[in-house]
Amino acid sequence: MADELNLTVWFHPSMRLPVKIDPEAHPFKVSPTNTVVDLMDKCEDFFEKITAELGTPLELQINVLWNIKDHKKALNPNDKLGMHFAGTDSFGVYGDIQPAVVKVAPRAEEDKVPVTILTGFLGSGKTTLLNYILQEQKEKKIAIIENEFGEISIDDALLKQDKMNLAEKIVVMDNGCMCCTIRGDLAKGLQEIIADIKKGGTIDAILIETTGMADPVPIVRTFMSSPEITADLRLDAVITMADAKHLTGRLDDRVEEGKVNEAYQQIAFADKIILNKLDLITTEEAIAVKDRIREINAFAKVIPAIKSRVRMSEIFDIRAHDMCNFVNVELDKEPEAAPEFSQGHGVGHEGGHGEEEHGGGHGGDGGHGSGSGHGPAAGTGQGQGHGAKEDSRHDTRVNSFSIVKEGEIIPRKLSMWMQMLGQLPAEKGTIFRIKAILAVKDHPFKHVFHAVMDVSDEDDAAPWEEGEKRVSKIVFIGKAMDHPFLRKGFEAIFEE
């Protein structure tokens, strides 16, 4: 068998090449041990390159390849070339030709426009915060989107009357911010808005207020499953606005069995929580509310606020959903408490809010909320949980915990475990969210994983440094999670 083949391509005449190609000037030097499909790939790459050089970029998808000495025999793509060719044979090809797709380098995550989801109950202070962003702050130019989800669809003919099909009531403020309302298809509305922003000027960030619904998951799902959106936008964080005076009561609301209290859900899915209206409670009450939040979500930073005033840097460019940024933060560490939540620091009273949202309890349409006391956190670290005693099999509350383990993960076992988590039996609990940094065996990069309910994504982040301990960290937030079951399953995927 020859060490190398020098094959010449022959394009079937019915393909009608729009450019003239001299096959004799471009022989294919291949090994007899290469497969027919390898030759197909090589020919397709050549075709794309030569047509681009000739000024007409085209792509070729080969359907059939044969030795022209035997034109009746189409070759098996998996056969070795040495079985069918020798020396300087020619091969025929037939396939589809189409214009080449222009390949544009993807934008880096930090260059995309960050999108923040703002959620919170009526009365928490969202309106005050939005008014502050739109009218007073000068730090950033923010596009605020009020996302209305209605049961009645808007008539298409009515929508077509607007400049932008799905974005209505566009108001540009004196500070450069803009405000609009989107109804219906959020993904299409975002695409139209970003196109409009590109034409008209710079917007530093987008904030989506969830109006008429408390659950941020549908919007998160839109971003995690819509590459056409994430080409220009990146989901930055979910921010929950909480009323310090009434949050505990809402967490204690009794609702239907088997569902999740909306207040619990908002805290559980939050990357950062603004604890507003601290001027209406005592220091001790503020500490108690903060601790109650910690029992549900040990990993979201809690920001104290009065009259919804916070620095823009606290609610934008957080990169909580940027998986490559997971390696730059301590996933398993609780954020440091603000001074307002420490003993000895008073909370100033600046008078009432005068906000029409101010009100009492609000019953959610979801389920938990027993009002019972929560156990102390057992700490973070080697499998320790938050908001549940370590020896308890189940915690029926919404809570969070992390597992940290040194060692290397077996890829096959990791895949099987992840599939199991996606089909977790009801008696093992409900997982709302997972964040993980994983040390996979024989893999040079830190592997990051992020899941929100039934949507997940994974990627490689920074490489493991020479001599760096291979430590994996995983964070769970959910309801009625079987901590020992999840911990045992995670530890079982490591190399023994």
Side-chain angles (χ1 to χ4, degrees):
M1 186 178 289
D3 293 335
E4 189 176 61
L5 301 173
N6 284 278
L7 307 181
T8 303
V9 65
W10 179 78
F11 296 100
H12 195 279
S14 66
M15 293 170 60
R16 298 183 180 180
L17 300 187
V19 294
K20 187 175 181 179
I21 298 175
D22 181 7
E24 299 292 337
H26 303 281
F28 290 83
K29 296 182 179 182
V30 292
S31 169
T33 59
N34 289 148
T35 63
V36 172
V37 74
D38 291 333
L39 182 58
M40 288 179 171
D41 291 340
K42 200 175 183 71
C43 186
E44 289 172 352
D45 291 341
F46 158 74
F47 186 85
E48 184 173 350
K49 181 180 178 181
I50 195 69
T51 55
E53 291 175 354
L54 294 173
T56 308
L58 299 170
E59 290 182 355
L60 169 64
Q61 175 64 57
I62 296 175
N63 308 129
V64 185
L65 186 148
W66 65 96
N67 189 323
I68 61 172
K69 293 179 179 178
D70 185 3
H71 62 86
K72 295 183 179 180
K73 183 179 180 181
L75 301 184
N76 183 338
N78 297 316
D79 282 355
K80 303 290 186 184
L81 292 174
M83 297 170 58
H84 305 285
F85 296 98
T88 57
D89 284 347
S90 295
F91 64 96
V93 297
Y94 175 81
D96 298 316
I97 297 174
Q98 59 189 18
V101 177
V102 179
K103 297 180 176 64
V104 180
R107 295 177 64 182
E109 285 297 300
E110 57 268 25
D111 295 333
K112 297 177 182 178
V113 178
V115 179
T116 299
I117 300 173
L118 177 65
T119 185
F121 277 98
L122 188 69
S124 61
K126 287 192 301 178
T127 301
T128 303
L129 175 62
L130 296 179
N131 286 336
Y132 169 65
I133 292 173
L134 285 172
Q135 299 178 22
E136 296 184 46
Q137 67 84 28
K138 306 293 182 182
E139 297 175 48
K140 292 180 178 288
K141 293 182 179 179
I142 311 296
I144 291 181
I145 299 172
E146 187 179 65
N147 195 202
E148 293 187 352
F149 292 81
E151 295 181 359
I152 303 174
S153 60
I154 306 298
D155 185 84
D156 287 342
L158 175 62
L159 289 174
K160 289 175 182 176
Q161 295 176 11
D162 295 326
K163 176 185 176 185
M164 299 165 65
N165 285 349
L166 297 167
E168 307 172 14
K169 307 177 189 173
I170 301 175
V171 179
V172 179
M173 313 303 290
D174 292 339
N175 61 357
C177 293
M178 62 179 286
C179 184
C180 68
T181 300
I182 289 180
R183 293 188 176 91
D185 192 326
L186 176 63
K188 290 182 180 179
L190 284 170
Q191 285 179 301
E192 293 179 10
I193 287 176
I194 197 65
D196 194 70
I197 292 172
K198 287 179 178 178
K199 294 176 184 177
T202 302
I203 285 294
D204 298 314
I206 296 174
L207 187 147
I208 301 175
E209 182 206 8
T210 57
T211 298
M213 61 175 291
D215 185 0
V217 173
I219 300 178
V220 175
R221 186 179 287 116
T222 294
F223 277 87
M224 294 185 71
S225 59
S226 305
E228 68 277 10
I229 295 297
T230 54
D232 294 298
L233 308 178
R234 62 175 172 85
L235 180 58
D236 189 52
V238 176
I239 306 291
T240 293
M241 181 73 78
D243 180 345
K245 186 174 178 63
H246 297 104
L247 178 62
T248 301
R250 285 172 177 167
L251 291 173
D252 290 339
D253 280 345
R254 292 187 178 275
V255 287
E256 292 180 39
E257 184 66 29
K259 295 184 180 180
V260 179
N261 179 309
E262 283 188 3
Y264 270 90
Q265 198 158 11
Q266 289 181 8
I267 298 299
F269 282 107
D271 298 299
K272 192 169 284 191
I273 298 159
I274 301 175
L275 191 55
N276 193 33
K277 303 186 180 181
L278 285 176
D279 53 327
L280 302 182
I281 61 175
T282 66
T283 300
E284 290 73 20
E285 289 171 331
I287 294 170
V289 173
K290 181 261 181 184
D291 289 345
R292 188 74 181 273
I293 290 172
R294 276 283 160 265
E295 292 169 356
I296 302 169
N297 187 337
F299 308 104
K301 185 176 180 181
V302 181
I303 306 298
I306 294 175
K307 297 184 178 178
S308 304
R309 295 299 178 98
V310 294
R311 292 190 299 272
M312 293 298 98
S313 60
E314 290 285 8
I315 56 177
F316 294 109
D317 206 24
I318 298 169
R319 298 182 68 185
H321 289 253
D322 179 357
M323 290 191 296
C324 291
N325 191 52
F326 285 7
V327 298
N328 299 322
V329 297
E330 293 289 342
L331 286 186
D332 59 312
K333 300 296 184 184
E334 293 186 24
E336 293 184 6
E340 288 85 348
F341 302 127
S342 302
Q343 291 288 353
H345 291 268
V347 179
H349 288 253
E350 298 184 7
H353 283 249
E355 191 176 339
E356 80 280 1
E357 294 181 85
H358 215 36
H362 175 78
D365 58 7
H368 184 298
S370 64
S372 60
H374 290 254
T380 307
Q382 195 70 25
Q384 297 296 301
H386 294 269
K389 293 182 179 180
E390 178 62 20
D391 58 359
S392 65
R393 180 181 180 277
H394 274 277
D395 190 331
T396 57
R397 302 182 295 265
V398 176
N399 57 44
S400 57
F401 76 105
S402 65
I403 308 172
V404 180
K405 184 173 175 60
E406 184 176 350
E408 292 191 312
I409 294 171
I410 305 300
R412 177 181 57 82
K413 292 184 177 181
L414 172 62
S415 178
M416 293 174 62
W417 187 64
M418 287 297 184
Q419 289 180 17
M420 182 279 296
L421 290 181
Q423 303 170 357
L424 193 68
E427 64 270 17
K428 300 300 181 183
T430 301
I431 298 174
F432 293 162
R433 190 169 180 185
I434 299 174
K435 279 187 175 184
I437 302 173
L438 306 172
V440 180
K441 184 177 174 62
D442 297 327
H443 192 60
F445 297 97
K446 297 173 182 177
H447 195 66
V448 290
F449 178 82
H450 186 207
V452 176
M453 298 299 287
D454 59 343
V455 184
S456 64
D457 198 5
E458 55 188 311
D459 201 355
D460 288 333
W464 293 99
E465 301 292 340
E466 186 174 352
E468 183 180 4
K469 288 185 178 181
R470 298 218 165 195
V471 177
S472 295
K473 303 176 182 180
I474 189 165
V475 170
F476 294 95
I477 301 176
K479 178 178 183 288
M481 293 182 294
D482 188 334
H483 294 202
F485 174 80
L486 294 172
R487 183 176 303 109
K488 183 178 179 181
F490 181 67
E491 294 175 347
I493 66 178
F494 283 77
E495 185 178 44
E496 296 180 1

